[in-house]
Structure formats: structure tokens, C-alpha cells
Amino acid sequence: MKTNSFEFAYEVYDSIEELQKGDAALLETARAITVQAYAPYSRFFVGASVKLDNGQLLSGTNQENASFPAGICAERTVLAAVSSVYPGAVIHAMAISFRSAGAASNHPISPCGICRQSLIEQEKRQQAPIRIILGGQVGPIFIISSMNHLLPFSFTGEELDKG
Ligand code: THU
């Protein structure tokens, strides 16, 4: 028997002022777009913004539903938009932020499991890593260099019969 281990390094910044200009602008966009979220049930308003290889910025927000499972997270909203509006575009980075009726937005949140799976699919598809920038409206920021780190042992569909 042997034991394997998994670890990854990520960057931690004290505030947005420490980020490079492009990352700071993307996080500002994600922070601002949270006001467009439709989240009357959770009152947890999430924004996700991406920077594409064609220079475009696109954003998405969570869109809830009275039938709760019909809701969609901000991350998957923007992934669907990218794939629909700019098919084939490479996502260089995604910034994720939030505001909440019930909690201070002074720390990062990270994507849910379903969104991680969708982000992995996009990384596979574009064959380039997506930088993930996580931050609240204020406070510390985490930067993760690839989605691979956030979903080890992911199911990638390589075993599926594509014939
Ligand atoms: N949500 C997101 O949009 N992204 C995340 O990464 C976590 C959760 C949304 C889903 C739901 O509308 C609300 O936040 C509370 O879970």
C-alpha cells in the first residue's frame, strides 16, 4: 500500500488594491453585477465575471425560482452566456463575488460543486486554465491558478462512448 496526497498553492491578497489592474477590474465588475441577481428566496446575490481571449468581459448572476432546483448559479449563467455569444472563446479568468442580506461580504466564497464540474468542462474544452478570483465586496482575495485544483479526481467524460 502507498499513500498519495494532493495539495495546491493559491494566492492570498489583503485587499483589491494589491491585485494587478486586470484582475482588480474583473473583481470590481463581479462585485457590481451582484445587484442584477434575482435571489428573492436566499437573498444571497452572486456575481461572476469573465475575461475572454477576445478582450470581452461578460458577467452573470444567480437566477432563482420558486421551484428551488430550477435556479441557476452566477457561474453557470456566465458560462452559458460565453458559450452562446462567443462560441470557442477562451476564458482567461473568472471573478466571483457576492452580497448577502444576512452576512457581511468581507471574505471570499468559492463555487458550488455543480459549478466546479461545469468549470472543469470549460477548462477541458478550451485546453487552457481558468484563473479563479474570489472576493467579497471588501476584504481578502484568493486567486487559484486553475479549476483543476478545486475539483481533484473530477469526472471528465473521457470514458464516455463518443462513437
Ligand atoms: N450561488 C451562486 O450563484 N454561486 C455560488 O458559487 C454559490 C451559490 C447561488 C445559488 C443560490 O441562488 C444562492 O446563491 C444561495 O445558494
Side-chain angles (χ1 to χ4, degrees):
M1 194 277 266
K2 65 174 182 156
T3 304
N4 289 339
S5 65
F6 173 84
E7 65 176 35
F8 76 98
Y10 60 99
E11 298 164 9
V12 180
Y13 298 85
D14 286 337
S15 77
I16 197 166
E17 284 77 36
E18 289 181 11
L19 298 188
Q20 58 187 66
K21 240 174 97 189
D23 288 346
L26 199 59
L27 180 57
E28 284 293 12
T29 306
R31 284 175 171 176
I33 204 75
T34 56
V35 300
Q36 311 278 32
Y38 175 65
Y41 304 104
S42 70
R43 297 195 300 157
F44 191 77
F45 308 91
V46 185
S49 300
V50 293
K51 176 81 188 285
L52 305 179
D53 61 343
N54 63 11
Q56 296 291 325
L57 289 192
L58 272 186
S59 294
T61 56
N62 54 327
Q63 301 294 318
E64 297 185 347
N65 193 283
S67 172
F68 292 178
I72 184 167
C73 293
E75 295 89 329
R76 277 174 294 135
T77 301
V78 74
L79 284 178
V82 169
S83 196
S84 307
V85 179
Y86 299 111
V90 171
I91 299 175
H92 284 323
M94 177 183 287
I96 302 164
S97 191
F98 73 103
R99 63 181 83 217
S100 165
S105 179
N106 57 8
H107 58 274
I109 56 160
S110 62
C112 79
I114 300 173
C115 290
R116 290 178 198 217
Q117 184 70 31
S118 296
L119 281 154
I120 285 281
E121 182 88 15
Q122 177 64 32
E123 260 196 7
K124 277 262 158 208
R125 201 173 164 192
Q126 69 180 34
Q127 295 186 322
I130 304 174
R131 272 158 64 73
I132 306 293
I133 302 163
L134 306 174
Q137 296 293 324
V138 294
I141 291 141
F142 299 163
I143 298 189
I144 296 139
S145 61
S146 166
M147 261 317 292
N148 253 331
H149 297 317
L150 288 187
L151 196 60
F153 290 98
S154 61
F155 179 67
T156 60
E158 271 152 29
E159 300 76 15
L160 297 181
D161 181 1
K162 299 188 179 104

